[in-house]
């Protein structure tokens, strides 16, 4: 995915951490990996309720859910770092992803 920034010469986008984050999120492997995690997460969530598994499998699935939440949180942090909050918020899917991550984090904490 190609990211077009409103102010690419801004001092913010010259910072090494921001440049590295942009490099990571612009890599096609990043998007492909996130898509694979989304698919695996969907499968694990579907297995959570049917058929009824024993407690060890359910515990494993809950650990997987935490792992997926950590991965999705890292994705949000990378994107926010690379794009800045203003650019990040311009894309509706980013806001949607952020809402999902906040909801997932709240489920883990509680």
């Amino acid at each position: 995915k190609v990211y077009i920034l409103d102010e690419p010469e801004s001092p913010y986008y010259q910072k090494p951490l921001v440049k590295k984050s942009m490099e990571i999120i612009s890599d096609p492997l990043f998007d492909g990996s996130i898509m694979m995690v989304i698919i695996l997460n969907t499968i694990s969530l579907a297995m959570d309720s049917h058929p009824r598994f024993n407690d060890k499998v359910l515990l494993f699935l809950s650990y997987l859910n935490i792992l997926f939440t950590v991965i999705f949180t890292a994705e949000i942090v990378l994107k926010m770092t690379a794009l800045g909050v203003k650019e990040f918020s311009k894309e509706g899917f980013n806001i949607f992803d952020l809402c999902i991550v906040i909801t997932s984090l709240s489920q883990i904490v509680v």
Side-chain angles (χ1 to χ4, degrees), residues 37 63-77 101 104-105 108:
V37 173
Y63 286 141
L64 268 182
N65 186 43
I66 293 170
L67 175 64
F68 294 141
T69 301
V70 168
I71 292 169
F72 294 138
T73 303
E75 174 199 15
I76 292 295
V77 169
V101 166
S104 297
L105 288 171
I108 290 173

Side-chain angles (χ1 to χ4, degrees), residues 41-107:
N41 186 37
T42 303
I43 292 169
S44 74
L45 287 173
M47 293 173 64
D48 186 320
S49 58
H50 189 75
R52 181 74 180 144
F53 289 105
N54 68 40
D55 289 341
K56 287 182 182 178
V57 173
L58 292 175
L59 181 63
F60 175 73
L61 291 173
S62 72
Y63 286 141
L64 268 182
N65 186 43
I66 293 170
L67 175 64
F68 294 141
T69 301
V70 168
I71 292 169
F72 294 138
T73 303
E75 174 199 15
I76 292 295
V77 169
L78 275 170
K79 283 187 173 183
M80 282 186 146
T81 302
L83 300 172
V85 175
K86 182 179 172 185
E87 290 291 325
F88 177 87
S89 342
K90 286 182 179 178
E91 189 171 324
F93 277 114
N94 287 341
I95 301 301
F96 176 73
D97 287 346
L98 179 61
C99 291
I100 297 296
V101 166
I102 290 170
T103 303
S104 297
L105 288 171
S106 70
Q107 295 297 316

Side-chain angles (χ1 to χ4, degrees), residues 16-28:
L17 180 63
V18 174
K19 285 183 175 184
K20 187 63 178 175
S21 297
M22 181 63 82
E23 182 182 317
I24 292 169
I25 70 165
S26 298
D27 190 320

